[in-house]
Amino acid sequence: MTTAFASPHWQEATQAVADAARILLVTHTKPDGDAIGSLLAMAAILADSGKTVVAAVDGGVPEYLAYVPGSAAVQRTLETGDFDLMISLDASDEARTGECGRYGMAHSARILNIDHHPTNTGFGHIHLIVPDAVSTTQVLYDWFALAGWAISRDAATALLTGLVTDTLGFRTNNVVPHTLMTSAALMAAGAPLHDIMTRTLNSTSFLAIQMWKHALNTVQYRKKVIAADITQDVLKTLGLSQATDTGGLIGFLISANEAQVAVVFKEQGNTSVELSMRAKPGRDVAEVAFALGGGGHKLAAGATVAGTLEEVKAKVMPMLYAVARGKSPFADPEPEDA
Ligand code: AMP
Ligand code: MN
Ligand code: MN
């Protein structure tokens, strides 16, 4: 399932930046805190060293992340320009970088792929892929230190945002002393930890709470798998074009002591379903996500799967029942009635 990762190309990456005048930064669509944090930390560092920088992500920066310095300059679309270097941040495959990434691939001389997903496909010419890193911003922090680039308060705020959000406030099982030492250094450089925590982890909207109300009504628990749906009907009732704040919902579901695996099915029209999956330590939902054309980490992964809600559930649930019991999802998928 995973790409064999050579050691990260630290020196080649530093050289590629030195050789480039015009640099494009892209990240994954529906960006989270690590996506925006790594995009804007990179933008701040490159601007400080006099590069011409364009940062773009389809649809722009979500409102709750607008506090990250530099967010106002992020483009929502990308239709012009040619670049010496494109840097892809926190995206495990090309398709995840959306339309902005597609344009960038076609209009950039070289591509630097910076990420921490074990499912990274290894696209691009130069790789800084560190699957043990808690966030893409951790990879950036280590690179900036090696390269000797000073971290401003703005860059520190962006970097700490990625560390905080991808570790759910330092609660994930990959947090190590280096995570906390990095965070302490970023706070010392001026990053406001409490403000970041409050804006990203302790904030929601009434609309999201109404969506939770409907989703919790659909919760089912079976064979150590806890599952919920967000249907098109519910989204229509709430006047939403897509589900919001599902990270919080799936995080809540996996907190059930009985469950080994949690899944939220988000219906996208009648043609596809977006999956959010979580696992308890010792289980692995990334391999299921990867097999379905998505990706992620062992304990947090996702994919978009073609089909109706019923078809996608019939395909995915047997795999998750097997994973929840510690078995291979491919060798031993468990039917609903086994
Ligand atoms: P989510 O459930 O959306 O919070 O995503 C959990 C993890 O899975 C994150 O690391 C995402 O980057 C990854 N992920 C989610 N959806 C996809 C997808 N369609 N393709 C690749 N990775 C995904
Ligand atoms: Mn991300
Ligand atoms: Mn990440």
Side-chain angles (χ1 to χ4, degrees):
M1 157 199 104
T2 53
T3 317
F5 297 109
S7 39
H9 303 155
W10 303 114
Q11 248 130 45
E12 292 90 330
T14 307
Q15 192 61 47
V17 165
D19 292 344
R22 290 184 51 78
I23 302 180
L24 170 65
L25 307 178
V26 299
T27 184
H28 64 79
T29 56
K30 299 188 183 169
D32 52 20
D34 191 30
I36 297 302
S38 52
L39 190 77
L40 291 175
M42 198 71 237
I45 293 284
L46 294 174
D48 286 348
S49 60
K51 305 290 180 182
T52 300
V53 182
V54 172
V57 59
D58 294 1
V61 177
E63 183 57 34
Y64 78 100
L65 293 168
Y67 73 90
V68 184
S71 65
V74 174
Q75 295 186 197
R76 308 163 65 90
T77 56
L78 181 65
E79 278 148 15
T80 56
D82 286 288
F83 304 91
D84 304 316
L85 180 67
M86 173 174 116
I87 306 181
S88 169
L89 297 145
D90 199 43
S92 56
D93 62 72
E94 292 108 309
R96 287 276 284 163
T97 63
E99 291 303 315
C100 290
R102 189 205 298 266
Y103 177 92
M105 295 273 171
H107 294 85
S108 304
R110 303 187 83 195
I111 290 157
L112 166 56
N113 172 352
I114 307 183
D115 190 27
H116 69 128
H117 291 99
T119 54
N120 193 289
T121 56
F123 66 95
H125 307 106
I126 308 162
H127 304 146
L128 297 182
I129 301 166
V130 185
D132 289 340
V134 296
S135 64
T136 295
T137 62
Q138 177 74 72
V139 181
L140 288 184
Y141 177 87
D142 294 339
W143 178 33
F144 297 167
L146 267 176
W149 294 330
I151 294 173
S152 64
R153 173 195 287 253
D154 285 357
T157 299
L159 291 171
L160 190 57
T161 292
L163 283 158
V164 163
T165 54
D166 266 21
T167 62
L168 310 174
F170 308 110
R171 287 183 296 158
T172 52
N173 75 334
N174 52 0
V175 169
V176 291
H178 186 52
T179 319
L180 300 181
M181 287 189 277
T182 299
S183 301
L186 294 172
M187 282 183 82
L193 176 65
H194 180 257
D195 193 40
I196 292 170
M197 292 266 203
T198 304
R199 287 175 185 276
T200 58
L201 303 176
N202 289 335
S203 103
T204 189
S205 62
F206 181 56
L207 205 52
I209 289 172
Q210 285 175 289
M211 204 186 66
W212 277 52
K213 180 176 79 175
H214 291 283
L216 289 175
N217 236 342
T218 71
V219 168
Q220 296 210 335
Y221 171 78
R222 213 168 128 59
K223 295 170 174 267
K224 302 183 189 299
V225 178
I226 188 162
D229 306 331
I230 297 172
T231 60
Q232 282 294 317
D233 278 353
V234 164
L235 293 180
K236 228 174 278 166
T237 307
L238 298 177
L240 285 167
S241 61
Q242 62 179 40
T244 102
D245 183 36
T246 53
L249 177 63
I250 187 81
F252 176 59
L253 294 181
I254 195 61
S255 72
N257 291 328
E258 295 82 354
Q260 289 294 326
V261 168
V263 57
V264 173
F265 294 93
K266 293 168 260 181
E267 204 178 25
Q268 321 254 70
N270 266 328
T271 55
S272 71
V273 177
E274 200 183 306
L275 305 181
S276 247
M277 296 177 283
R278 297 291 184 270
K280 291 270 170 64
R283 303 292 186 250
D284 179 357
V285 284
E287 56 180 358
V288 172
F290 193 68
L292 295 168
H297 310 277
K298 279 185 183 175
L299 305 190
T304 300
V305 183
T308 63
L309 189 58
E310 293 318 310
E311 287 164 354
V312 172
K313 280 188 177 180
K315 182 173 181 179
V316 172
M317 290 305 284
M319 290 196 259
L320 294 182
Y321 291 137
V323 169
R325 296 219 181 160
K327 296 197 277 180
S328 161
F330 314 118
D332 319 292
E334 280 201 25
E336 192 76 40
D337 53 7

